Amino acid sequence: MTARIGLLHTRLRTEERLLLDAAEALGCHIEPIDVRPLVFDPTGMPELRRFDVILDRCVSLTASRAVVGMLESMGLRCINTARAIAACSDKLETTLRLLRDSVPTPDVRIAFDQHSAIDAVEDIGYPAVLKPTVGSWGRLVARANDRDAAEAIIEHRSVLGSAQHGLHYIQQHIDKPHRDLRVFVVGDRAIAAIERRAEHWITNTARGGRTAGLSVSDELASVSLAAARAVEADVCAIDLLECPHRGLLVNEVNHSMEFRNSVDVTGVDIPRLVVEHARTCVAEVAS
């Protein structure tokens, strides 16, 4: 049976083109589906129900959550599931899932008022990291080194921010060794890892971090797979911090991982492994 795999997207980036190339090399056809021009009828869409598996690669989180939710309600198998997308895209939900499954993660405090937010920062201790619960690429992540900085950040977010900034997510600052780690998980395997190094405390590649390949140790694999299971993700990237006191801590889980800069430095054909996993899911659906 020929696998019928659809690839949801809002823009064909390098990652999506690599997935299409990997599918062609494997003799497996993946059909790109641009969700932007489509009109969705939640009661049923025959043109999409013909697919065995849907691989979500939407850049838009709003589109990703909505479309995958509708397709799952029609009985389609999606990678990742709506539950996984919801868990990964909200940092508080990620934290709750990790804590539930005893996966090590930095300490967090939550507050809903400017005054209680300051109390929360001082409870965590300085420096503290303040983040929006929804966001990526290190945007709007701030470090408060003292009370004056904390008061300024919290006031600006309260006055100028959107409704979501009314929830103050305050995280323990980890004195990491100028790097963080990212582990790529596909199915039940930790397939590759990189380090992202920078002199700045934010090491995201979108903010100038430099990447290098890293061996996947047993400890890295164990913690990363536990994090992936906690958020119920098929395919994801786990961001970890090395705490000098507590060891490896899971910082975030990315449900729609970027990997174009990681293939060469790791020597791992990440898109091929993602496509192979999608084919495995097709076989599971058929059975």
Side-chain angles (χ1 to χ4, degrees):
M1 182 186 70
T2 302
R4 296 168 298 182
I5 302 172
L7 186 146
L8 300 179
H9 69 91
T10 47
R11 188 174 78 242
L12 282 176
R13 302 167 295 171
T14 302
E15 279 82 1
E16 288 69 52
R17 296 186 187 280
L18 288 171
L19 288 166
L20 295 172
D21 290 344
E24 183 178 0
L26 288 167
C28 171
H29 178 66
I30 293 185
E31 184 176 328
I33 305 167
D34 187 347
V35 304
R36 293 171 296 180
L38 298 182
V39 176
F40 287 85
D41 178 355
T43 64
M45 297 184 69
E47 66 272 30
L48 295 181
R49 291 177 69 93
R50 62 191 172 86
F51 292 104
D52 300 300
V53 167
I54 296 289
L55 187 59
D56 171 49
R57 292 294 307 176
C58 292
V59 176
S60 165
L61 175 60
T62 300
S64 181
R65 293 188 64 172
V67 175
V68 169
M70 288 187 288
L71 296 182
E72 285 186 339
S73 75
M74 301 173 200
L76 284 167
R77 170 72 162 93
C78 296
I79 307 170
N80 283 296
T81 66
R83 284 173 59 87
I85 294 168
C88 294
S89 61
D90 185 303
K91 293 179 178 62
L92 176 55
E93 182 63 23
T94 301
T95 297
L96 296 177
R97 296 288 195 95
L98 297 174
L99 292 173
R100 179 199 65 190
D101 286 7
S102 300
V103 180
T105 189
D107 291 342
V108 165
R109 300 291 184 274
I110 304 297
F112 298 93
D113 172 84
Q114 289 188 53
H115 300 293
S116 59
I118 291 295
D119 291 341
V121 172
E122 301 212 318
D123 188 36
I124 279 284
Y126 297 105
V129 178
L130 291 82
K131 298 179 176 182
T133 53
V134 177
S136 56
W137 301 312
R139 293 175 300 193
L140 298 180
V141 176
R143 182 172 67 183
N145 292 325
D146 54 33
R147 186 182 177 101
D148 286 345
E151 289 176 343
I153 294 165
I154 290 166
E155 180 184 16
H156 279 75
R157 290 188 174 177
S158 298
V159 174
L160 301 176
S162 63
Q164 77 173 37
H165 289 99
L167 188 162
H168 298 280
Y169 179 97
I170 297 138
Q171 187 182 65
Q172 171 192 19
H173 178 265
I174 303 300
D175 188 18
K176 60 190 181 183
H178 296 293
R179 71 173 189 174
D180 69 358
L181 312 179
R182 169 166 285 194
V183 177
F184 298 92
V185 172
V186 176
D188 58 359
R189 296 171 54 205
I191 62 167
I194 60 171
E195 67 167 21
R196 300 182 298 186
R197 187 174 291 275
E199 294 306 314
H200 194 277
W201 70 277
I202 296 178
T203 50
N204 299 61
T205 54
R207 300 282 292 270
R210 304 178 302 279
T211 63
L214 191 70
S215 297
V216 182
S217 67
D218 290 344
E219 183 185 14
L220 265 181
S222 176
V223 174
S224 299
L225 290 172
R229 287 191 295 268
V231 298
E232 304 177 54
D234 278 272
V235 174
C236 60
I238 315 294
D239 292 342
L240 302 105
L241 306 174
E242 298 165 288
C243 177
H245 308 294
R246 297 177 57 199
L248 289 175
L249 304 178
V250 175
N251 187 35
E252 296 179 6
V253 184
N254 304 272
H255 72 276
S256 185
M257 62 195 193
E258 296 176 337
F259 52 78
R260 63 182 178 273
N261 295 323
S262 302
V263 173
D264 289 340
V265 297
T266 63
V268 177
D269 193 342
I270 297 172
R272 180 186 180 96
L273 294 174
V274 172
V275 173
E276 288 178 346
H277 177 69
R279 288 204 307 187
T280 299
C281 291
V282 169
E284 292 172 353
V285 169
S287 63

